[in-house]
Amino acid sequence: MPPQSAQHNPPETAAPTPKLLSFEFIAICAISVLAFCNISIFYGFYSYLTELGIPPAWRGPLLALEPLTALIMRPFLGRYLSLKNTVQFMRVGMGLATVSLLCYPLATTIPTLACVRVLHGMGFVTVVSGLMGSLMAFLPRKQSAQGFGLFSVTILLPYAIMPPFVEVLLPHIANHGIAYALAAPLMLPAFLLLVPLGARIRALAATLPQSHLERPGWDEVRQAVRSAGVLLLVGANFFLVAAHSIVFFFMRDFAAAIGTANPGAFFTYANVSTIAVRVLGGNILDRVDKGRTLLITAIGLGLLVPLFAHAGGPGVLLGMAALYGIGMAMTMPLVNASMFSISPPRLRAYNANLLMTAVDAGFFVGPFLGGAIMAGELGHGVLFGVGGALMLASGLCVRPVARIMRGAESQG
């Protein structure tokens, strides 16, 4: 069922087809790498809260507070985002994120940690909203899955590099809070990249019809939210990210418990596998049946995640990490490319941010559930079992998507 608003975008108003590997795309990817470096270092935040003596019942909520802030803010931000103000969004968000990173060493109590997590969430959601708005303008439709795959590499690369780097750094600094503050200078090159990117965005905006530059109206927003395809993809992304956040936030303690010398190595193995698949096989993702591939991959991940609890040793766990990375390499680009395909041009940035709202919700629910499971001393078997069930729920959401996408693409 194609969105009806697509009928109001006649061919003569279509934007020029951009190249995938343009300066703008590369600059957006570089900013994304730097922005996600300040999130990927929080893989050990649960352990840090334990070291600070934060009661177990508060650790999950404090983990979840940053994505909860993003979840609340993103729909509001998305309504006011347009191509013309994406750089302003990123500039403000980077400033807030920088301040929050510098405040982490000073926050050692529940109230101060809560304030810093809220500030961090405000900054990060604003940066990513601007990034997604810019990306939608420079992504070629026929290479959308490949483009999302390459863009997602910029999200994953920090997760492959920063956790093991922080593990090496920790013996030489006082605690994780200092490590978080040391990530703040990474925002400086991101600020500098906004200067040429802003000029390119203004040049593109001058060539587009006014209808492509206006913010979507509330009627269009309501129509987008009611669309079956949009709702299914948002649901799939929510369950996928909720499962992934459980793995991300709680794997460090489990890997250390079974004798892994560097617990951050799990993320290196997983993300190197993901990056390799997306770089070497990214163009294939534009040719496969997206709905069917998503379903098969989600089922595979749903079976794999519960097996983490039965790894038994570091070697087996790291092998599973590589398989997990391959599965994640397929899912997120295909969800984003599917949303891109069923969305009319005026709503692509808004719908992309709806998917990011699902990411925020997933990163809120996952840690909250995980924290409750661990506080209840139910163990990693239950924890990863819940993660697997969430992966399977994602598969159920994407099952009808293939038919909806075929209908949308036959109209456009």
Side-chain angles (χ1 to χ4, degrees):
M1 176 168 47
Q4 295 176 1
S5 57
Q7 298 171 2
H8 301 300
N9 293 279
E12 64 267 22
T13 64
T17 302
K19 296 185 297 183
L20 179 58
L21 296 180
S22 61
F23 169 84
E24 296 85 356
F25 180 80
I26 293 170
I28 290 167
C29 287
I31 293 170
S32 178
V33 169
L34 296 166
F36 276 90
C37 278
N38 81 66
I39 290 294
S40 62
I41 57 176
F42 285 85
Y43 74 99
F45 193 59
Y46 186 85
S47 300
Y48 178 50
L49 294 176
T50 304
E51 294 169 7
L52 290 176
I54 302 298
W58 278 99
R59 295 171 197 165
L62 286 172
L63 275 175
L65 193 53
E66 183 265 335
L68 175 62
T69 303
L71 172 63
I72 293 170
M73 287 188 61
R74 196 183 299 276
F76 173 80
L77 292 175
R79 171 64 182 84
Y80 292 97
L81 178 69
S82 69
L83 180 62
K84 292 186 291 187
N85 63 16
T86 54
V87 169
Q88 289 90 330
F89 266 60
M90 286 185 275
R91 188 175 290 118
V92 170
M94 289 175 191
L96 293 174
T98 301
V99 172
S100 68
L101 289 168
L102 294 173
C103 288
Y104 273 100
L106 307 175
T108 57
T109 64
I110 292 172
T112 56
L113 283 165
C115 290
V116 173
R117 293 295 281 168
V118 168
L119 183 64
H120 197 178
M122 292 172 61
F124 189 68
V125 68
T126 308
V127 172
V128 175
S129 295
L131 273 173
M132 294 304 293
S134 300
L135 180 65
M136 292 303 102
F138 295 106
L139 199 62
R141 181 184 178 92
K142 292 184 178 179
Q143 294 176 286
S144 60
Q146 184 179 4
F148 280 117
L150 292 174
F151 178 74
S152 65
V153 168
T154 69
I155 297 173
L156 292 169
L157 190 60
Y159 289 97
I161 296 172
M162 297 304 288
F165 175 74
V166 171
E167 290 293 324
V168 173
L169 183 65
L170 281 174
H172 307 287
I173 58 179
N175 52 45
H176 286 79
I178 301 298
Y180 303 150
L182 291 175
L186 293 174
M187 290 293 95
L188 178 59
F191 273 113
L192 296 177
L193 281 170
L194 290 180
V195 177
L197 179 61
R200 300 296 183 99
I201 288 175
R202 287 191 296 272
L204 174 63
T207 69
L208 295 176
Q210 185 62 31
S211 62
H212 284 209
L213 302 177
E214 295 172 351
R215 300 191 299 260
W218 283 116
D219 287 342
E220 292 176 291
V221 169
R222 285 192 291 269
Q223 182 181 358
V225 173
R226 288 197 301 264
S227 168
V230 170
L231 289 176
L232 286 167
L233 289 170
V234 169
N237 217 32
F238 164 71
F239 289 119
L240 176 69
V241 173
H244 176 66
S245 68
I246 286 176
V247 175
F248 176 70
F249 282 113
F250 297 95
M251 180 55 72
R252 182 185 188 275
D253 284 353
F254 176 72
I258 64 171
T260 307
N262 186 335
F266 176 92
F267 304 102
T268 300
Y269 276 69
N271 289 306
V272 165
S273 297
T274 300
I275 291 168
V277 170
R278 290 181 182 173
V279 171
L280 299 177
N283 60 332
I284 298 174
L285 297 179
D286 284 302
R287 299 199 295 267
V288 299
D289 184 317
K290 295 179 177 62
R292 182 177 300 173
T293 305
L294 275 169
L295 175 61
I296 293 170
T297 307
I299 291 172
L301 288 170
L303 298 175
L304 174 64
V305 171
L307 295 177
F308 289 155
H310 307 285
V316 176
L317 182 65
L318 294 179
M320 290 181 175
L323 291 175
Y324 180 76
I326 292 171
M328 295 303 292
M330 305 293 289
T331 52
M332 292 184 179
L334 288 175
V335 170
N336 281 279
S338 298
M339 184 67 87
F340 187 88
S341 296
I342 68 173
S343 300
R346 274 172 57 79
L347 288 174
R348 281 178 184 159
Y350 186 84
N351 287 348
N353 274 297
L354 280 181
L355 284 182
M356 294 306 297
T357 300
V359 172
D360 301 329
F363 266 103
F364 167 69
V365 171
F368 193 87
L369 283 176
I373 290 168
M374 298 309 289
E377 299 183 353
L378 298 178
H380 287 94
V382 173
L383 180 74
F384 292 131
V386 169
L390 291 169
M391 287 289 187
L392 293 175
S394 177
L396 291 176
C397 288
V398 302
R399 187 176 181 183
V401 166
R403 178 181 56 82
I404 295 171
M405 284 186 56
R406 284 193 293 267
E409 290 173 351
S410 68
Q411 297 289 327

